[in-house]
Amino acid sequence: GYIKKYSFGIYLYSDPINYVLLFCEYSVFGGMIFNTNMGAAFLFFSRFIISLLIAILISAVLKKCHFKYLY
């Protein structure tokens, strides 16, 4: 239900959130996380889950504030 309900918000906000997550993960773990398969898998799944949840949260907040074209 949530993915269908907030699909436009997920589409709209997932890319900027992904860039922020990449920057944060690189700042915390450094470049070594990109060198291993486990590191790449961790980056992929963490970015997927976190960006999805944050995009849904942003969309829900904007919908609650009645911003018509931002969710």
Side-chain angles (χ1 to χ4, degrees):
Y2 283 110
I3 292 176
K4 185 177 178 182
K5 185 176 181 181
Y6 297 112
S7 62
F8 182 68
I10 293 168
Y11 164 75
L12 198 61
Y13 303 118
S14 64
D15 274 349
I17 294 168
N18 272 322
Y19 291 126
V20 170
L21 287 174
L22 275 174
F23 175 77
C24 292
E25 289 173 343
Y26 182 78
S27 297
V28 171
F29 298 111
M32 67 180 185
I33 196 164
F34 297 106
N35 295 336
T36 65
N37 289 335
M38 289 299 290
F42 171 75
L43 283 174
F44 175 77
F45 288 114
S46 66
R47 283 177 38 221
F48 178 75
I49 299 296
I50 294 170
S51 66
L52 181 70
L53 293 175
I54 292 175
I56 289 173
L57 179 68
I58 290 171
S59 298
V61 168
L62 291 176
K63 191 171 193 170
K64 191 173 244 185
C65 294
H66 302 292
F67 289 111
K68 188 173 183 179
Y69 297 106
L70 297 176
Y71 59 86

